[in-house]
Amino acid sequence: MKRIIGLAVTMLMGVGMVQAQNVTDSLKEKSLQEVQVTSLRATSKTPVAYSNLNREQIEAMNFGKDIPFLLSTLPSVITTTDAGNGIGYTSIRVRGTDASRINVTANGIPLNDSESSRIYFSDIGDFASSVQSIQLQRGVGTSTNGAGAFGATINMLTESIGMKPFVGLDVSGGSYGTHKETLRFGTGLLKGHFGIQGRLSNIGSDGYIDRATSSFNSYFLQAGYFTDNTTLKFITFNGTEKTYMAWNYTSKREQSLYGRRFNSCGLYYDKEGNMKFYDDQYDNYHQQHYQLHWNQWLSRNWTMNVALHYTRDNYYYDQMKTGKKLYQYLLTDDTKMRADLVQRKDGDKDFYGMVASVNYNNHKGLTANFGGAINHFCATHLGHVMWVGTPYYKNAPDVALALPGLEPNHQYYGNGSRKTDGNIYAKVNWEFAKGLSAYADLQYRHVNCQMDGSAGDWDDNGQVHYDLNRNFDFFNPKAGLNYDINQHHRVYASYAIAHREPTRDHFQEQWGKPVYAEQLNDLEVGYQFRHRRFSAGVNLYWMDYKNQFVLTGELNDEGEAVTKNIDKSYRLGVELEAAWMPVDWFRWDVNATLSKNRAKDMIITLDDYTTQVNIGETPLSFSPEVIFNNIFTLNYKGWSASIQSQYVGEQYLTNYGVKTMRCWTDWSQTDDVATDETLMLKDHFTTNLDLSYDFNFKKLCLKKARIGITFYNLFCAKFDNNGWAAPQFRQDAGGNVYAVNTWGLRDQEAAGFAPSAPFHFLAHLSLNF
């Protein structure tokens, strides 16, 4: 209680960064309101690869799908969706790097979960409706708050408080019961100094995958105070989500039996052997954010910003588990007794801290930023048994057994974790000759990770008990050159070193085994041509890793993707971009990524669990070698149309370079019932089409209205956007290693796939008063 009261007092005393670009028309005011991202964002003179999305571009796509799908046409980006239609549990990968190693901030405040480093956009549904701009930096990027970036940085700036009052309504609806309702409002500037702006949202969908329903409610509210030299803002936003689990994915065998939309989450069989699904297999999550910002104009050359933040999470989810060993739930001492049961995992999390920076600009080619952050995280995780079926012995299922009465919410584990993360940085960009500037960025970061308590896992010594206290100290230097040859041509090069600590998930999944921090050496070299009608660019990157955390293809007991250290690996690629606007009403954008992603000296363990074989250099999982985007945009007299096409190359589900595994269609496992099943996500090509029309009725005080419809996957491509694989491996007489599945029929129990929805649509209407 003292901590909460102290935090509340601190937050009431603190104030922070803001971006209200319309408070006045002066350049000084506009610059002041963007101070909160000045120290984090790349500019045209920063020698890194990045892309920007402004408010207009976000609005043109924001009809209900999650933020990853708004970024899906940017270079090197691919997206995943458990529900199949981009709503619910979605994720993003950049250059083959998963979301747990992509740094995400809102107004400079970290959004990644401190334990897993994952980002769940479903926890803050419809956040895009309150975002002014998004910058995605590829590679290490610039110094950021929160965990290090090992594939990309996503920096979001929330909307400004406008000068004039307004009310807006956005609604959309379409396939698979999908709907979105957003009410926006703002007071405008009151008495020249105050303003309030906010949003209420509801999003729901049945999902393409069976029972993959989702329901999101959220709000965003900000209040600001503005003077010529000071901006103060309080921001709060939250999200509640209820999502039926769809993270098991389905094997090709299951899809052949039950269809592409089959969802095995919650599956069990009744006493008569009938297939049933547990009704309450939902993930329930509530996340509440508070931010207080203070931006200060100190002089013509100096600005500063300070921000305090606090995030509170509460969650619980129930899962039907079949044939579980009851002693591992502390229900009996009999190690052979099994039963079906419903387990609940729940907990709460607190994350709070401060970020700050001082920014210098002499307006003669020299800029500097000095800043840092201190953040603390603590969490409690509990496991309970909610219901137990009739106990039995595996080899004697008809033997009648009994258990003592189940205590309400019987707890079988409880543990906690804490993490303190602090960093300081200094960065300078100096144009020391006409058009030629040097960039240097130095960051020191200290991290302390702690875990204690009992786990839901068991090993040879019994139930696992955590006792961890690890410290990490990282120095992350970056340097580069940018040369504006003239107003049309620019070249740049940079080299960066970054480090990242293991997460709680890594320690948990590898308990008792060595887990290492990872290191990345990132070289970026690029060229850009800029003209009013045509622009183009090429960026070459070489990302060399030590102990990279790579997706193994496996899922843990929670259904989360597992990542483990790989000693040596690299990602090498070229990113191409071009945009052509021959006339004012037509624009053509295209980008492509060609890459090579490899693990070196991969060691594979055969199915005898002892023999290890070095299979050399192999492709990294979930890392397509080709990504291509093509966008045609037309705008004419209120009419607009956009045609977006994307090609994603094939992806391996493991890091062992195997494309298929030998399986069997019955338990005899003889050659005449053998089959080869895929361990790949096949390449795919999709096209989306958006049509809309802008109009107004000023007599009805309708400032602007837009009506339209978006068709997704226009040509009904059938493809899998994600998957998992955990085959066994054998070696033939010639020494060649191959994959097999002896755990189930065909690929059952060894692989799963997440199908994407075929053709679907969303109609949308936006009204602004």
Side-chain angles (χ1 to χ4, degrees):
M1 178 61 71
K2 290 182 178 179
R3 187 188 70 187
I4 295 174
I5 294 174
L7 177 62
V9 172
T10 302
M11 292 179 67
L12 289 171
M13 294 175 62
V15 284
M17 303 174 285
V18 68
Q19 83 304 333
Q21 66 180 25
N22 296 319
V23 172
T24 73
D25 293 329
S26 71
L27 178 62
K28 176 179 177 181
E29 286 293 334
K30 180 179 178 180
S31 299
L32 177 60
Q33 295 158 32
E34 296 176 351
V35 166
Q36 64 194 53
V37 295
T38 298
S39 60
L40 302 181
R41 286 199 166 176
T43 69
S44 60
K45 294 186 178 297
T46 309
V48 299
Y50 68 92
S51 302
N52 290 324
L53 287 180
N54 59 33
R55 179 73 172 176
E56 183 179 359
Q57 292 170 311
I58 294 170
E59 288 179 346
M61 298 180 286
N62 183 28
F63 308 128
K65 298 209 174 193
D66 294 344
I67 286 177
F69 283 79
L70 305 186
L71 307 176
S72 63
T73 59
L74 299 182
S76 300
V77 171
I78 59 175
T79 57
T80 69
T81 166
D82 287 2
N85 65 333
I87 300 172
Y89 278 115
T90 61
S91 191
I92 184 173
R93 299 188 185 118
V94 182
R95 294 182 177 176
T97 301
D98 72 284
S100 69
R101 294 155 64 250
I102 297 173
N103 180 279
V104 183
T105 59
N107 303 322
I109 307 300
L111 290 183
N112 299 73
D113 181 84
S114 293
E115 289 183 307
S116 66
S117 197
R118 293 184 173 93
I119 173 70
Y120 297 101
F121 291 102
S122 59
D123 295 339
I124 47 173
D126 201 25
F127 189 66
S129 292
S130 299
V131 171
Q132 185 75 20
S133 63
I134 303 175
Q135 182 176 92
L136 187 146
Q137 300 174 16
R138 302 185 296 278
V140 171
T142 63
S143 287
T144 55
N145 300 316
F150 270 70
T153 299
I154 298 174
N155 181 296
M156 295 183 287
L157 180 67
T158 56
E159 62 182 352
S160 61
I161 294 179
M163 283 280 291
K164 298 179 180 180
F166 73 90
V167 174
L169 177 65
D170 306 318
V171 295
S172 59
S175 302
Y176 311 118
T178 301
H179 62 90
K180 171 180 176 287
E181 300 83 35
T182 301
L183 175 65
R184 299 173 285 106
F185 56 89
T187 63
L189 199 61
L190 303 174
K191 298 184 178 180
H193 294 290
F194 302 94
I196 297 174
Q197 197 157 303
R199 165 187 58 82
L200 297 171
S201 298
N202 173 259
I203 297 177
S205 178
D206 295 334
Y208 169 67
I209 301 301
D210 291 341
R211 305 182 315 285
T213 59
S214 55
S215 176
F216 310 120
N217 293 290
S218 64
Y219 76 80
F220 179 91
L221 184 66
Q222 56 179 334
Y225 172 76
F226 313 101
T227 69
D228 289 343
N229 296 315
T230 304
T231 302
L232 308 177
K233 182 178 281 190
F234 171 76
I235 298 173
T236 177
F237 56 95
N238 88 335
T240 61
E241 61 104 346
K242 183 176 182 180
T243 305
Y244 196 96
M245 298 175 190
W247 53 47
N248 280 1
Y249 307 157
T250 55
S251 65
K252 293 300 181 183
R253 177 177 182 267
E254 288 173 316
Q255 291 185 34
S256 69
L257 294 173
Y258 312 117
R260 292 182 78 232
R261 304 175 69 172
F262 180 72
N263 179 9
S264 64
C265 287
L267 172 65
Y268 70 98
Y269 292 89
D270 63 17
K271 294 180 179 179
E272 287 73 37
N274 299 311
M275 181 185 293
K276 299 287 186 179
F277 296 95
Y278 183 57
D279 290 336
D280 293 326
Q281 189 113 341
Y282 284 96
D283 183 24
N284 301 269
Y285 211 98
H286 173 233
Q287 189 172 91
Q288 182 74 50
H289 295 256
Y290 301 97
Q291 298 179 4
L292 282 94
H293 302 277
W294 170 26
N295 285 1
Q296 185 67 42
W297 190 286
L298 302 174
S299 70
R300 180 176 181 272
N301 298 336
W302 290 92
T303 60
M304 77 168 203
N305 66 275
V306 179
L308 300 175
H309 66 89
Y310 172 59
T311 302
R312 174 72 174 176
D313 296 71
N314 304 97
Y315 73 92
Y316 76 90
Y317 56 92
D318 295 344
Q319 291 176 292
M320 168 65 73
K321 295 290 184 178
T322 59
K324 302 303 290 186
K325 298 177 181 178
L326 296 183
Y327 79 93
Q328 295 186 348
Y329 290 84
L330 308 183
L331 292 169
T332 180
D333 293 329
D334 189 335
T335 59
K336 298 181 180 180
M337 190 180 293
R338 296 172 179 256
D340 296 347
L341 55 83
V342 174
Q343 68 178 30
R344 169 172 292 185
K345 298 195 174 184
D346 60 282
D348 53 68
K349 306 177 183 180
D350 294 278
F351 177 57
Y352 53 90
M354 179 182 74
V355 302
S357 70
V358 176
N359 312 295
Y360 174 76
N361 186 346
N362 72 351
H363 305 284
K364 296 179 180 180
L366 176 65
T367 62
N369 310 102
F370 310 92
I374 180 70
N375 300 306
H376 183 72
F377 172 88
C378 55
T380 299
H381 303 280
L382 304 173
H384 298 91
V385 177
M386 311 303 292
W387 172 86
V388 179
T390 303
Y392 63 90
Y393 289 136
K394 184 176 182 180
N395 296 325
D398 297 328
V399 176
L401 302 174
L403 281 175
L406 179 67
E407 297 177 2
N409 297 328
H410 168 78
Q411 182 175 321
Y412 65 98
Y413 78 81
N415 62 73
S417 66
R418 291 164 296 282
K419 183 176 182 179
T420 301
D421 179 353
N423 77 83
I424 56 173
Y425 62 84
K427 60 180 74 174
V428 176
N429 201 318
W430 176 37
E431 186 175 355
F432 58 89
K434 184 177 180 180
L436 183 61
S437 57
Y439 173 80
D441 182 342
L442 305 176
Q443 183 198 54
Y444 166 74
R445 185 164 173 259
H446 172 79
V447 180
N448 173 259
C449 301
Q450 299 180 42
M451 294 171 60
D452 55 44
S454 59
D457 303 313
W458 289 64
D459 59 20
D460 294 339
N461 298 317
Q463 188 175 23
V464 172
H465 287 263
Y466 298 133
D467 183 12
L468 175 78
N469 191 335
R470 291 278 299 274
N471 290 294
F472 300 90
D473 292 276
F474 302 132
F475 176 59
N476 302 314
K478 311 170 185 69
L481 293 171
N482 180 83
Y483 183 33
D484 290 319
I485 301 171
N486 55 43
Q487 64 176 340
H488 299 303
H489 300 275
R490 171 196 178 216
V491 293
Y492 63 86
S494 65
Y495 186 77
I497 300 175
H499 302 81
R500 183 177 179 276
E501 73 282 0
T503 67
R504 176 181 180 269
D505 288 351
H506 296 131
F507 290 121
Q508 185 176 18
E509 292 161 2
Q510 299 294 309
W511 191 255
K513 301 177 182 179
V515 180
Y516 305 100
E518 62 179 329
Q519 177 179 316
L520 167 60
N521 297 275
D522 181 20
L523 175 65
E524 309 272 340
V525 179
Y527 162 78
Q528 288 183 341
F529 173 78
R530 296 166 294 191
H531 191 273
R532 189 174 71 89
R533 291 295 186 185
F534 178 75
S535 63
V538 56
N539 184 76
L540 305 172
Y541 65 87
W542 174 64
M543 304 169 71
D544 187 53
Y545 294 87
K546 175 68 175 176
N547 294 320
Q548 181 182 185
F549 288 112
V550 174
L551 292 167
T552 67
E554 302 166 287
L555 300 180
N556 63 19
D557 189 55
E558 307 303 312
E560 295 175 331
V562 174
T563 59
K564 293 182 181 178
N565 288 124
I566 288 183
D567 183 25
K568 298 177 182 179
S569 57
Y570 66 90
R571 301 183 186 274
L572 176 68
V574 55
E575 296 164 327
L576 306 167
E577 294 182 84
W580 180 42
M581 193 171 181
V583 291
D584 292 340
W585 51 268
F586 174 74
R587 179 184 172 100
W588 180 13
D589 291 271
V590 63
N591 65 71
T593 300
L594 308 175
S595 64
K596 183 179 181 180
N597 311 277
R598 296 292 186 267
K600 300 178 180 179
D601 298 322
M602 279 296 294
I603 303 296
I604 198 167
T605 302
L606 302 184
D607 65 348
D608 61 8
Y609 301 103
T610 56
T611 304
Q612 293 188 323
V613 180
N614 188 325
I615 57 176
E617 186 170 286
T618 59
L620 288 174
S621 63
F622 302 100
S623 301
E625 295 191 348
V626 180
I627 303 173
F628 174 78
N629 291 289
N630 186 86
I631 307 170
F632 294 120
T633 306
L634 299 91
N635 292 283
Y636 186 73
K637 294 185 178 180
W639 293 96
S640 63
S642 176
I643 304 173
Q644 305 171 354
S645 298
Q646 183 180 63
Y647 172 79
V648 177
E650 64 178 8
Q651 304 172 59
Y652 287 83
L653 291 181
T654 73
N655 296 295
Y656 301 118
V658 290
K659 290 191 172 185
T660 61
M661 63 180 169
R662 176 53 57 94
C663 305
W664 293 270
T665 57
D666 69 37
W667 292 109
S668 67
Q669 296 188 3
T670 56
D671 289 341
D672 61 327
V673 294
T675 179
D676 290 323
E677 302 289 345
T678 185
L679 290 175
M680 302 289 291
L681 296 180
K682 295 181 179 180
D683 60 341
H684 61 270
F685 180 83
T686 57
T687 298
N688 302 328
L689 170 64
D690 178 74
L691 303 171
S692 62
Y693 177 68
D694 292 346
F695 59 95
N696 62 67
F697 292 104
K698 293 184 178 180
K699 292 182 179 180
L700 300 178
C701 298
L702 184 63
K703 300 174 184 176
K704 181 181 178 181
R706 171 173 290 187
I707 187 170
I709 188 168
T710 304
F711 303 103
Y712 301 97
N713 198 355
L714 192 62
F715 302 112
C716 209
K718 292 185 178 181
F719 65 96
D720 301 313
N721 66 81
N722 206 357
W724 68 270
Q728 306 117 77
F729 294 93
R730 292 176 178 173
Q731 195 171 28
D732 63 20
N736 300 309
V737 173
Y738 63 99
V740 299
N741 177 28
T742 62
W743 294 328
L745 300 180
R746 290 187 57 186
D747 60 343
Q748 190 89 19
E749 309 299 333
F753 300 85
S756 286
F759 171 80
H760 56 291
F761 73 92
L762 283 174
H764 45 87
L765 172 67
S766 179
L767 305 174
N768 293 277
F769 297 93

